Amino acid sequence: MKFFVDTADVNEIRELNDLGLVDGVTTNPSLILKSGRAILEVTKEICGIVEGPVSAEVAATDYETIMKEAAVIAKIADNICIKLPLTLDGLKACKNLVSDGHKTNVTLCFSANQALLAAKAGATFVSPFIGRLDDIAIDGMDLIREIRQIFDNYGFETEILAASARTVNHIKEAALIGADVVTAPPATLKALVKHPLTEAGLATFLADWAKTGQKIG
Ligand code: E4P
């Protein structure tokens, strides 16, 4: 499973990338707002930090303007991935951008039928939003399961990018189902390492080691 980090904060991306935990980055207009930076400038910087795909989202909703914005975003770097809304105009743009050799991420997916459309449009990634479904008392994991089955039934190559993952259990369940990628905030990715028995065990080993009076090397 690939790990993408869901942030436009370059310091956090750098830290996780140095830990070897970043296979790509996802951003969205809300994350750009939170970063306080200009989209083209911050996205270019992110593309220089990580080797994998960096999703940057268009702001337009009509096909013509989506394509104009996509052309600007595409020039940022070779590892850019153009993020498009799951609408008819977004899907049309996806099909044409993929034909032109661009990577695409179709976002705001909340149903298996929407994911099917993204796959038929040739999207590189489709982003079903787990957490936002959970917010309205619908199990987001059921959606990941349905999409996995549909894509496997037909051999679609579009990767399932489990998005809006907010807890370590979201990541574990998405991995068990077989999502290709998960994107999560930096704190959630870092929290994967935590286990109370690891912490307690390490504390005991360190205390006993100090009692031996030994040094290694
Ligand atoms: C994905 O690409 C989105 O940027 C993100 O995962 C949305 O997460 P949220 O629902 O926690 O805002």
Side-chain angles (χ1 to χ4, degrees):
M1 175 185 243
K2 284 176 261 188
F3 283 179
F4 288 1
V5 59
D6 198 31
T7 184
D9 182 321
V10 290
N11 292 326
E12 295 199 287
I13 293 168
R14 215 171 261 121
E15 184 196 350
L16 280 165
N17 193 53
D18 289 347
L19 287 167
L21 284 181
V22 178
D23 299 304
V25 176
T26 51
T27 65
N28 64 37
S30 305
L31 293 170
I32 295 296
L33 173 68
K34 196 171 164 195
S35 78
R37 297 187 54 187
I39 182 169
L40 298 182
E41 177 210 53
V42 73
T43 308
K44 192 173 175 60
E45 189 172 343
I46 295 169
C47 286
I49 298 170
V50 305
E51 282 183 19
V54 175
S55 290
E57 190 162 341
V58 297
T61 54
D62 67 283
Y63 173 75
E64 303 297 335
T65 321
I66 287 175
M67 291 303 280
K68 279 184 194 151
E69 291 185 357
V72 175
I73 289 172
K75 285 198 193 109
I76 295 175
D78 286 346
N79 56 338
I80 203 75
C81 179
I82 302 161
K83 208 172 181 189
L84 303 156
L86 215 160
T87 60
L88 292 177
D89 287 47
L91 291 167
K92 183 177 173 186
C94 177
K95 196 169 172 49
N96 286 308
L97 289 166
V98 168
S99 301
D100 289 346
H102 298 294
K103 287 186 278 293
T104 57
N105 175 359
V106 178
T107 190
L108 290 167
C109 173
F110 293 96
S111 78
N113 282 334
Q114 288 180 321
L116 181 56
L117 289 175
K120 286 186 73 68
T124 316
F125 303 101
V126 62
S127 290
F129 276 39
I130 302 164
R132 293 191 194 189
L133 282 170
D134 286 358
D135 288 345
I136 58 163
I138 294 173
D139 187 350
M141 286 306 153
D142 287 343
L143 176 58
I144 304 294
R145 211 171 282 112
E146 287 176 355
I147 299 171
R148 180 74 281 156
Q149 185 177 333
I150 290 169
F151 284 14
D152 289 349
N153 285 348
Y154 295 97
F156 283 121
E157 288 179 8
T158 297
E159 294 191 41
I160 302 172
L161 197 174
S164 187
R166 301 177 187 155
T167 67
V168 289
N169 279 338
H170 279 155
I171 297 177
K172 181 182 77 175
E173 288 176 45
L176 283 169
I177 293 165
D180 302 286
V181 191
V182 69
T183 190
T188 310
L189 289 177
K190 282 195 270 183
L192 288 172
V193 79
K194 287 187 190 154
H195 195 288
L197 291 180
T198 303
E199 284 153 31
L202 185 58
T204 304
F205 287 159
L206 291 178
D208 287 346
W209 181 250
K211 288 179 205 159
T212 69
Q214 298 179 43
K215 281 203 170 111
I216 297 174

